[in-house]
Amino acid sequence: MGRGKIPIKRIENQTTRQVTFSKRRAGLLKKTHELSVLCDAQIGLIIFSTTGKMCQYCTKGYRMEQIIERCQKVTGTCISEHDNREHLYNELAVLRKETRRLQLSMRRYTGEDMSSIPFEELDQLEHELERSVIKDQERKVHAHHHLLNAF
Amino acid sequence: MGRGKIPIKRIENQTTRQVTFSKRRAGLLKKTHELSVLCDAQIGLIIFSTTGKMCQYCTKGYRMEQIIERCQKVTGTCISEHDNREHLYNELAVLRKETRRLQLSMRRYTGEDMSSIPFEELDQLEHELERSVIKDQERKVHAHHHLLNAF
DNA sequence: TGAACTATTTATAAGTA
DNA sequence: TTACTTATAAATAGTTC
């Protein structure tokens, strides 16, 4: 379209690229709107220029988040993330209490502040930890029912 | 474009609407791709037809989630959720190690398995915990740099 | 810079198989 | 339906102002 046809590859000349971007972006937004209206389609469009500027289109009557959420429902993306968040919070609550409990217990036995225990132990712990992750998680799931509801 | 020009309003005839949808959707995807390639733009496009079928376009080399996330950063939507998640994961990693470390330390001093310590202590702990949450979090942020990189 | 112009290419509405 | 065809409308590349 235009005086000549151009190959579909990155336009190297920056000025030309920017001009083309402006023109075609306008065209794309128009086409998007038309499709949305003519065919009653729900559309979300997000464009970032090379310079980082963003523009977006979203079918009238909807918000981008709704379309994104619907998209995520279809593709399965992020659904687990939301579920996951709850688990994370739960596990955090459990671990916070557990840690606190252990710290107090330690103090009771040793009288010292455990936060000074050397970090070098951690490398050792890591291996052990990896081996016991599954077992650990099972334990936490059970502890869950007792420990929950902080935070 | 075509034998006649049509007004930009919902096409009432279902067959015509469906045909137009297919054609224009293809056109839109093509234009989207062209803009993306020609101008090196990062684009995400999500389309739902009236019948609920979804199709999407995403600039090559990216995933839709990345574009969505970037969009959310710009608009401010959901940022806290994503940032939050990272913090959650980090804090979990820290706490897991911390807990493990304390458990081992306890064993070293008492020879017993600490997992048997009564849960009744926890109610007491809760109050203390709530008071020290902020201080606690500061500590964890610092511990972070030392403890991280598990999981 | 940026808005208009215009020769061409593209997209597509309606028609046809 | 799902494809082709084609006359026409739109988009736009290169240009000019």
Side-chain angles (χ1 to χ4, degrees):
Chain A
M1 299 167 280
R3 293 302 177 87
K5 111 189 246 180
I6 56 169
I8 303 304
K9 60 195 272 298
R10 184 191 147 96
I11 297 169
E12 290 308 328
N13 181 292
Q14 188 188 318
T15 308
T16 307
R17 190 170 63 243
Q18 211 128 41
V19 171
T20 298
F21 178 73
S22 291
K23 287 182 176 178
R24 278 179 173 260
R25 182 189 52 191
L28 190 63
L29 287 169
K30 188 181 174 192
K31 289 267 182 210
T32 304
H33 175 68
E34 289 181 355
L35 178 58
S36 177
V37 171
L38 286 171
C39 305
D40 201 22
Q42 196 175 333
I43 309 183
L45 172 67
I46 301 168
I47 305 172
F48 285 99
S49 70
T50 319
T51 61
K53 259 180 271 182
M54 190 190 81
C55 83
Q56 56 181 98
Y57 175 86
C58 181
T59 296
K60 203 182 164 189
Y62 293 90
R63 283 172 299 109
M64 187 59 86
E65 300 96 77
Q66 294 176 292
I67 293 176
I68 288 172
E69 213 166 301
R70 195 174 170 194
C71 170
Q72 289 171 341
K73 283 221 173 85
V74 170
T75 59
T77 323
C78 283
I79 290 185
S80 59
E81 292 217 9
H82 283 284
D83 290 349
N84 220 346
R85 280 176 70 76
E86 269 191 55
H87 286 134
L88 287 183
Y89 278 119
N90 291 342
E91 188 166 1
L92 265 184
V94 171
L95 278 175
R96 279 174 179 147
K97 278 192 172 174
E98 184 81 357
T99 303
R100 204 72 192 125
R101 182 175 69 82
L102 285 167
Q103 283 175 344
L104 289 198
S105 299
M106 272 308 271
R107 247 177 252 158
R108 195 193 295 148
Y109 283 98
T110 67
E112 67 172 290
D113 183 354
M114 296 315 296
S115 60
S116 60
I117 281 188
F119 284 121
E120 293 84 76
E121 292 185 22
L122 289 174
D123 286 329
Q124 278 183 40
L125 286 176
E126 248 181 274
H127 296 304
E128 191 182 341
L129 189 53
E130 273 157 22
R131 264 180 272 113
S132 63
V133 158
I134 294 162
K135 203 177 146 196
D136 218 49
Q137 285 175 340
E138 284 169 0
R139 186 179 57 75
K140 276 160 200 159
V141 167
H142 289 116
H144 213 229
H145 299 294
H146 300 283
L147 290 168
L148 224 48
N149 305 323
F151 301 91
Chain B
M1 298 167 281
R3 294 301 177 93
K5 116 186 242 180
I6 56 167
I8 303 304
K9 59 194 274 296
R10 184 191 146 98
I11 297 169
E12 290 306 329
N13 181 292
Q14 188 187 319
T15 308
T16 308
R17 189 170 66 241
Q18 209 127 44
V19 171
T20 299
F21 179 75
S22 292
K23 288 181 177 178
R24 278 181 173 258
R25 181 188 55 192
L28 190 64
L29 287 168
K30 189 182 175 193
K31 289 269 182 207
T32 304
H33 175 68
E34 289 181 355
L35 178 58
S36 177
V37 170
L38 287 170
C39 305
D40 202 21
Q42 197 176 331
I43 308 182
L45 172 67
I46 302 168
I47 304 172
F48 285 99
S49 70
T50 318
T51 60
K53 259 182 267 180
M54 190 191 79
C55 85
Q56 58 183 96
Y57 175 87
C58 180
T59 296
K60 203 182 166 190
Y62 293 91
R63 282 171 301 108
M64 186 59 84
E65 299 98 77
Q66 293 176 290
I67 292 176
I68 288 172
E69 214 166 303
R70 195 175 169 193
C71 171
Q72 289 172 339
K73 282 220 171 85
V74 171
T75 59
T77 323
C78 284
I79 289 184
S80 57
E81 294 223 2
H82 283 280
D83 286 354
N84 220 346
R85 281 179 65 74
E86 269 192 55
H87 286 135
L88 287 184
Y89 277 119
N90 291 343
E91 188 167 358
L92 264 184
V94 171
L95 279 175
R96 279 175 179 146
K97 278 192 171 176
E98 185 81 357
T99 302
R100 202 72 191 128
R101 181 176 70 83
L102 286 166
Q103 284 175 343
L104 288 199
S105 298
M106 274 305 272
R107 243 176 256 156
R108 196 194 293 147
Y109 283 97
T110 68
E112 67 172 288
D113 185 353
M114 295 314 296
S115 62
S116 60
I117 278 187
F119 284 121
E120 293 84 75
E121 292 186 24
L122 290 174
D123 286 330
Q124 275 183 44
L125 286 175
E126 243 181 277
H127 297 303
E128 191 182 342
L129 187 54
E130 273 157 23
R131 262 180 274 113
S132 64
V133 158
I134 295 163
K135 203 176 143 196
D136 218 50
Q137 283 176 341
E138 284 167 1
R139 186 180 59 72
K140 275 160 198 158
V141 167
H142 291 115
H144 210 230
H145 300 293
H146 300 281
L147 289 168
L148 224 47
N149 305 322
F151 300 91

